[in-house]
Amino acid sequence: MAISTTDTDPNAPLQKKPVSFRNLLIGASLNMFEVTTLGQPFEVIKTQMAASRGQTMPGSIATVWSRGGVFGFYQGLIPWAWIEAATKGAVLMFAVSELEYQFRMVGCSVPVAGVFGGMGAGVAQAYTTMGFCTFMKTVEVTRHKETGAAAKTTIQVAADIFKREGFAGINKGVNAVALRQMTNWGSRFGLSRIAEDVIRGQDSTRKLSDLEKVAASTLGGALSTWNQPIEVIRVEMQSQLKVAGRPDKMTIAAAAGWIYKQSGVLGFYRGVTPRICLGMWQTICMVAFGDRVKAHFTK
């Protein structure tokens, strides 16, 4: 989910941002639209490149295509990406609303409160709905798929993992997801707030236009990809690829060591291009489309 930017007057009386259930429903619907259109294909390509770091982008796209043609780009969409899309926005909005208010109460500036609020909200996302959804999406992209009678549905695969490894098994890599979300949303909220201030110039109370809001959150989303190494580590921890010598117990440290041994420093940045594209598409859906949809229902 990209940022829904709001005009924030640092001199206005301090009050908690209201969370509208109508906006939560709109956000969930827009998230569903985003992931069902271009979002999941970008996610699948990003995951393929991060898991198979020796492949180029064309090679990754060809591999994804070989796993079902166009449908290969939507691996993990149903139900995992839909569950994630329908719930993560609500968690984010509730958590950010509360955390930003609390940090402002103790004297933090708007950008600083935005950073810490985004970090806390990202962690909340990871440990509520995103952990197991992200794991299962990665499993679908990286697991070996049988054909014919031996073929298993994604639900059967999830059930097998749960029977074998329990709750921890279907949440494998959740700490890396939390670290990614914490740095991701902390960066997005903080950098977007800074971008908004720069765009406003000396008039700190000026309302931003739709185009300026999109520009601010796009910049924040693009710059937040500095944490791509965490994303690659997350994919490696959740990957189902079988490689000789790969550590059986894949902690964050073990995954980082394995990635560096196999691919060097550049291996930590595999998949960053589709991730930037994903962030741009999320921004267009959640900011540009989102503001228009909200305005329509406000009339």
Side-chain angles (χ1 to χ4, degrees), residues 17 34 87 91 94-95 103 118 133 139 152 174 196 210 213 264 268 280 296-297:
K17 294 178 183 176
E34 173 267 314
T87 57
V91 174
F94 275 112
F103 282 115
C133 289
V139 168
K152 291 184 178 181
V174 68
E196 288 174 2
D210 288 346
K213 288 180 181 180
F268 290 97
M280 292 175 64
H296 173 76
F297 283 101

Side-chain angles (χ1 to χ4, degrees), residues 18 32 64 86 92 106 156 160 162 166 196 203 208 221 236-237 267:
M32 294 283 282
V64 173
L92 183 79
V106 297
Q156 289 173 324
D160 287 346
F162 185 77
E196 288 174 2
D203 185 0
L208 299 178
E236 187 61 46
M237 292 178 70

Side-chain angles (χ1 to χ4, degrees), residues 27 155 274-275:
I155 299 297
R275 189 176 175 205

Side-chain angles (χ1 to χ4, degrees), residues 11-291:
N11 301 314
L14 184 59
Q15 58 183 353
K16 191 183 298 185
K17 294 178 183 176
V19 176
S20 165
F21 285 98
R22 180 179 63 188
N23 285 347
L24 291 180
L25 182 59
I26 291 172
S29 300
L30 288 170
N31 264 313
M32 294 283 282
F33 170 78
E34 173 267 314
V35 75
T36 307
T37 51
L38 296 178
Q40 191 64 9
F42 284 134
E43 178 73 24
V44 169
I45 295 170
K46 176 193 72 173
T47 301
Q48 179 65 34
M49 292 183 69
S52 302
R53 291 177 296 278
Q55 289 185 333
T56 62
M57 184 179 290
S60 295
I61 293 173
T63 297
V64 173
W65 180 268
S66 71
R67 293 167 69 88
V70 172
F71 294 106
F73 293 92
Y74 290 91
Q75 298 169 93
L77 176 67
I78 302 172
W80 313 115
W82 277 4
I83 294 173
E84 182 180 291
T87 57
K88 66 179 181 179
V91 174
L92 183 79
M93 290 180 70
F94 275 112
V96 165
S97 176
E98 181 64 33
L99 291 171
E100 280 195 339
Y101 174 74
Q102 294 298 332
F103 282 115
R104 293 280 283 129
M105 284 288 289
V106 297
C108 292
S109 65
V110 173
V112 171
V115 169
F116 287 120
M119 290 171 67
V123 172
Q125 281 184 319
Y127 288 112
T128 50
T129 62
M130 287 191 68
F132 73 91
C133 289
T134 301
F135 172 64
M136 286 309 303
K137 287 192 301 179
T138 304
V139 168
E140 282 304 294
V141 175
T142 59
R143 72 182 175 97
H144 174 72
K145 294 184 178 179
E146 299 87 354
T147 58
K152 291 184 178 181
T153 67
T154 186
I155 299 297
Q156 289 173 324
V157 172
D160 287 346
I161 294 172
F162 185 77
K163 289 177 183 177
R164 188 171 64 250
E165 303 177 49
F167 187 76
I170 61 171
N171 278 277
K172 193 176 295 180
V174 68
N175 292 333
V177 175
L179 187 59
R180 182 198 69 180
Q181 290 301 104
M182 180 180 73
T183 54
N184 193 36
W185 282 114
S187 298
R188 282 192 177 191
F189 274 91
L191 291 170
S192 294
R193 296 288 187 263
I194 293 171
E196 288 174 2
D197 290 342
V198 171
I199 291 171
R200 284 193 185 95
Q202 295 182 345
D203 185 0
S204 62
T205 62
R206 181 174 70 84
K207 287 187 175 295
L208 299 178
S209 67
D210 288 346
L211 184 60
E212 288 173 329
K213 288 180 181 180
V214 171
S217 57
T218 299
L219 180 62
L223 293 178
S224 70
T225 56
W226 65 268
N227 68 355
Q228 182 65 12
I230 301 172
E231 172 67 353
V232 175
I233 290 171
R234 189 275 303 170
V235 171
E236 187 61 46
M237 292 178 70
Q238 297 177 336
S239 174
Q240 302 298 294
L241 294 179
K242 306 298 182 184
V243 180
R246 187 174 184 267
D248 293 327
K249 187 173 178 59
M250 192 63 82
T251 63
I252 291 177
W258 173 252
I259 292 166
Y260 183 76
K261 179 181 178 181
Q262 293 293 305
S263 310
V265 174
L266 293 180
F268 290 97
Y269 292 91
R270 298 297 296 165
V272 68
T273 300
R275 189 176 175 205
I276 291 174
C277 293
L278 174 61
M280 292 175 64
W281 179 239
Q282 288 175 331
T283 299
I284 292 170
C285 290
M286 300 308 298
V287 179
F289 294 171
D291 286 346

